[in-house]
Amino acid sequence: MNNMYIVANWKMNGDQIFNSHLITTIEKNSVINDASHMIICPSMPYLQQINTQKPSYMILGAQNISQYDTGAYTGEVSGKMLADLKTKYVIIGHSERRELYNEDNNVIRGKFSKAIENNIKPILCVGETIEHRNNGETFDYIHSQIDAVISSNKLDNLKELIIAYEPIWAIGTGQTATPESAEEVHSYIRNTLLNTDSNLAENTPILYGGSVNSDNAEKLFKMENINGALIGGASLNGEEFSKIYNIAGELTNE
Ligand code: PEP
């Protein structure tokens, strides 16, 4: 798999002026590469702004989707609404949603279904806590998070799946997993998918997330089963984010 995916998760940051400047800076500093896909996930109120301002090679993503279709769900945003705003990707199961908003595997399964029904590609986040890691439970925990989605879906629903491995202890902490320890989990994820279907294992991009920056990106991206990154903090700095995107682009050219 030669394609790389570089996903910006702006979280609950930005305003119209900041966002506009950020998009302009990314545009100015990025070397466009067809095999390296750039996905920008702004906060919900700014989906339209980014969709209007962004150049066509930047793809619009959302940070959340409701597990329901329509109705009395105050504060929620449906898949149909996201599709209406030309959203192509959605982050599902981010650890902040799992931990702060009590989203369990059941809720995440529902959100996954709504993404597929609305032709929005799901980026499914999985990752262990430091306690799981210290207790030797990393693989079992990640297996259960992935299985919750793949066991309840037909293969056809899984063909646009992207998985992001994000060890919780590495998110926003500056403490990146070493390329080798990340690769160990990525390769485990690839094997887990292989138990379902060989095409699924071969075609599913597996991204790494957790304090990725322009200093550590190259080593991570050179690992066999790392197909890009989900980037939080560093995605709010246009020059830094572009550097990471350009590193991915150069590797797809090798
Ligand atoms: C994230 O929020 O998905 C993330 C990986 O954040 P950071 O890059 O800041 O660790």
PDB file of all heavy atoms in Angstrom, residues 53-67:
ATOM      1  N   GLN A  53     -13.283  27.387   1.689  1.00  0.00           N
ATOM      2  CA  GLN A  53     -11.951  27.981   1.500  1.00  0.00           C
ATOM      3  C   GLN A  53     -10.891  26.999   1.000  1.00  0.00           C
ATOM      4  O   GLN A  53      -9.963  27.374   0.303  1.00  0.00           O
ATOM      5  CB  GLN A  53     -11.461  28.588   2.822  1.00  0.00           C
ATOM      6  CG  GLN A  53     -10.218  29.473   2.606  1.00  0.00           C
ATOM      7  CD  GLN A  53      -9.525  29.871   3.899  1.00  0.00           C
ATOM      8  OE1 GLN A  53     -10.153  29.924   4.960  1.00  0.00           O
ATOM      9  NE2 GLN A  53      -8.234  30.150   3.812  1.00  0.00           N
ATOM     10  N   LYS A  54     -11.036  25.742   1.318  1.00  0.00           N
ATOM     11  CA  LYS A  54      -9.926  24.811   1.074  1.00  0.00           C
ATOM     12  C   LYS A  54      -9.718  24.535  -0.418  1.00  0.00           C
ATOM     13  O   LYS A  54     -10.682  24.506  -1.188  1.00  0.00           O
ATOM     14  CB  LYS A  54     -10.191  23.493   1.834  1.00  0.00           C
ATOM     15  CG  LYS A  54     -11.271  22.671   1.192  1.00  0.00           C
ATOM     16  CD  LYS A  54     -11.429  21.332   1.819  1.00  0.00           C
ATOM     17  CE  LYS A  54     -12.435  20.480   1.086  1.00  0.00           C
ATOM     18  NZ  LYS A  54     -12.226  20.330  -0.341  1.00  0.00           N
ATOM     19  N   PRO A  55      -8.469  24.290  -0.798  1.00  0.00           N
ATOM     20  CA  PRO A  55      -8.235  23.835  -2.165  1.00  0.00           C
ATOM     21  C   PRO A  55      -8.707  22.388  -2.306  1.00  0.00           C
ATOM     22  O   PRO A  55      -8.873  21.688  -1.295  1.00  0.00           O
ATOM     23  CB  PRO A  55      -6.713  23.921  -2.309  1.00  0.00           C
ATOM     24  CG  PRO A  55      -6.183  23.901  -0.914  1.00  0.00           C
ATOM     25  CD  PRO A  55      -7.243  24.424  -0.015  1.00  0.00           C
ATOM     26  N   SER A  56      -8.892  21.920  -3.531  1.00  0.00           N
ATOM     27  CA  SER A  56      -9.558  20.626  -3.711  1.00  0.00           C
ATOM     28  C   SER A  56      -8.769  19.429  -3.186  1.00  0.00           C
ATOM     29  O   SER A  56      -9.350  18.413  -2.821  1.00  0.00           O
ATOM     30  CB  SER A  56      -9.905  20.406  -5.182  1.00  0.00           C
ATOM     31  OG  SER A  56      -8.724  20.435  -5.924  1.00  0.00           O
ATOM     32  N   TYR A  57      -7.444  19.546  -3.079  1.00  0.00           N
ATOM     33  CA  TYR A  57      -6.689  18.376  -2.583  1.00  0.00           C
ATOM     34  C   TYR A  57      -6.858  18.158  -1.076  1.00  0.00           C
ATOM     35  O   TYR A  57      -6.585  17.078  -0.565  1.00  0.00           O
ATOM     36  CB  TYR A  57      -5.189  18.474  -2.948  1.00  0.00           C
ATOM     37  CG  TYR A  57      -4.426  19.547  -2.208  1.00  0.00           C
ATOM     38  CD1 TYR A  57      -3.812  19.282  -0.986  1.00  0.00           C
ATOM     39  CD2 TYR A  57      -4.322  20.832  -2.723  1.00  0.00           C
ATOM     40  CE1 TYR A  57      -3.115  20.264  -0.306  1.00  0.00           C
ATOM     41  CE2 TYR A  57      -3.621  21.821  -2.054  1.00  0.00           C
ATOM     42  CZ  TYR A  57      -3.019  21.524  -0.849  1.00  0.00           C
ATOM     43  OH  TYR A  57      -2.343  22.511  -0.178  1.00  0.00           O
ATOM     44  N   MET A  58      -7.319  19.178  -0.360  1.00  0.00           N
ATOM     45  CA  MET A  58      -7.613  18.976   1.073  1.00  0.00           C
ATOM     46  C   MET A  58      -9.020  18.387   1.170  1.00  0.00           C
ATOM     47  O   MET A  58      -9.942  18.895   0.532  1.00  0.00           O
ATOM     48  CB  MET A  58      -7.595  20.295   1.838  1.00  0.00           C
ATOM     49  CG  MET A  58      -6.249  20.950   1.919  1.00  0.00           C
ATOM     50  SD  MET A  58      -6.356  22.469   2.935  1.00  0.00           S
ATOM     51  CE  MET A  58      -4.793  23.232   2.509  1.00  0.00           C
ATOM     52  N   ILE A  59      -9.161  17.346   1.952  1.00  0.00           N
ATOM     53  CA  ILE A  59     -10.462  16.672   2.033  1.00  0.00           C
ATOM     54  C   ILE A  59     -11.087  16.966   3.397  1.00  0.00           C
ATOM     55  O   ILE A  59     -10.394  16.976   4.418  1.00  0.00           O
ATOM     56  CB  ILE A  59     -10.295  15.150   1.821  1.00  0.00           C
ATOM     57  CG1 ILE A  59      -9.380  14.893   0.615  1.00  0.00           C
ATOM     58  CG2 ILE A  59     -11.646  14.471   1.596  1.00  0.00           C
ATOM     59  CD1 ILE A  59      -8.950  13.471   0.473  1.00  0.00           C
ATOM     60  N   LEU A  60     -12.398  17.200   3.366  1.00  0.00           N
ATOM     61  CA  LEU A  60     -13.082  17.608   4.595  1.00  0.00           C
ATOM     62  C   LEU A  60     -13.464  16.401   5.459  1.00  0.00           C
ATOM     63  O   LEU A  60     -14.048  15.427   4.974  1.00  0.00           O
ATOM     64  CB  LEU A  60     -14.346  18.392   4.216  1.00  0.00           C
ATOM     65  CG  LEU A  60     -15.072  19.094   5.346  1.00  0.00           C
ATOM     66  CD1 LEU A  60     -14.208  20.218   5.939  1.00  0.00           C
ATOM     67  CD2 LEU A  60     -16.395  19.675   4.852  1.00  0.00           C
ATOM     68  N   GLY A  61     -13.126  16.500   6.746  1.00  0.00           N
ATOM     69  CA  GLY A  61     -13.518  15.455   7.697  1.00  0.00           C
ATOM     70  C   GLY A  61     -14.200  16.086   8.902  1.00  0.00           C
ATOM     71  O   GLY A  61     -14.025  17.271   9.174  1.00  0.00           O
ATOM     72  N   ALA A  62     -14.979  15.286   9.635  1.00  0.00           N
ATOM     73  CA  ALA A  62     -15.618  15.760  10.869  1.00  0.00           C
ATOM     74  C   ALA A  62     -15.027  14.981  12.045  1.00  0.00           C
ATOM     75  O   ALA A  62     -14.424  13.928  11.866  1.00  0.00           O
ATOM     76  CB  ALA A  62     -17.122  15.558  10.794  1.00  0.00           C
ATOM     77  N   GLN A  63     -15.241  15.518  13.241  1.00  0.00           N
ATOM     78  CA  GLN A  63     -14.668  14.883  14.438  1.00  0.00           C
ATOM     79  C   GLN A  63     -15.667  13.979  15.154  1.00  0.00           C
ATOM     80  O   GLN A  63     -15.314  13.313  16.130  1.00  0.00           O
ATOM     81  CB  GLN A  63     -14.193  15.957  15.410  1.00  0.00           C
ATOM     82  CG  GLN A  63     -13.112  16.855  14.867  1.00  0.00           C
ATOM     83  CD  GLN A  63     -12.824  18.022  15.796  1.00  0.00           C
ATOM     84  OE1 GLN A  63     -13.136  17.987  16.986  1.00  0.00           O
ATOM     85  NE2 GLN A  63     -12.225  19.067  15.252  1.00  0.00           N
ATOM     86  N   ASN A  64     -16.909  13.978  14.672  1.00  0.00           N
ATOM     87  CA  ASN A  64     -17.937  13.205  15.373  1.00  0.00           C
ATOM     88  C   ASN A  64     -19.148  13.055  14.467  1.00  0.00           C
ATOM     89  O   ASN A  64     -19.311  13.797  13.489  1.00  0.00           O
ATOM     90  CB  ASN A  64     -18.335  13.928  16.666  1.00  0.00           C
ATOM     91  CG  ASN A  64     -19.152  13.068  17.599  1.00  0.00           C
ATOM     92  OD1 ASN A  64     -19.211  11.835  17.481  1.00  0.00           O
ATOM     93  ND2 ASN A  64     -19.809  13.708  18.550  1.00  0.00           N
ATOM     94  N   ILE A  65     -19.995  12.093  14.768  1.00  0.00           N
ATOM     95  CA  ILE A  65     -21.233  11.851  14.019  1.00  0.00           C
ATOM     96  C   ILE A  65     -22.227  11.224  15.004  1.00  0.00           C
ATOM     97  O   ILE A  65     -21.824  10.459  15.887  1.00  0.00           O
ATOM     98  CB  ILE A  65     -20.959  10.903  12.827  1.00  0.00           C
ATOM     99  CG1 ILE A  65     -22.208  10.662  11.972  1.00  0.00           C
ATOM    100  CG2 ILE A  65     -20.400   9.561  13.275  1.00  0.00           C
ATOM    101  CD1 ILE A  65     -21.910   9.899  10.662  1.00  0.00           C
ATOM    102  N   SER A  66     -23.487  11.531  14.860  1.00  0.00           N
ATOM    103  CA  SER A  66     -24.475  10.909  15.748  1.00  0.00           C
ATOM    104  C   SER A  66     -24.756   9.467  15.332  1.00  0.00           C
ATOM    105  O   SER A  66     -24.673   9.136  14.154  1.00  0.00           O
ATOM    106  CB  SER A  66     -25.777  11.698  15.701  1.00  0.00           C
ATOM    107  OG  SER A  66     -26.776  11.013  16.419  1.00  0.00           O
ATOM    108  N   GLN A  67     -25.108   8.663  16.290  1.00  0.00           N
ATOM    109  CA  GLN A  67     -25.532   7.284  15.984  1.00  0.00           C
ATOM    110  C   GLN A  67     -27.006   7.239  15.600  1.00  0.00           C
ATOM    111  O   GLN A  67     -27.536   6.169  15.350  1.00  0.00           O
ATOM    112  CB  GLN A  67     -25.223   6.324  17.143  1.00  0.00           C
ATOM    113  CG  GLN A  67     -25.987   6.528  18.437  1.00  0.00           C
ATOM    114  CD  GLN A  67     -25.317   7.511  19.368  1.00  0.00           C
ATOM    115  OE1 GLN A  67     -24.787   8.541  18.946  1.00  0.00           O
ATOM    116  NE2 GLN A  67     -25.350   7.215  20.665  1.00  0.00           N
TER     117      GLN A  67
END
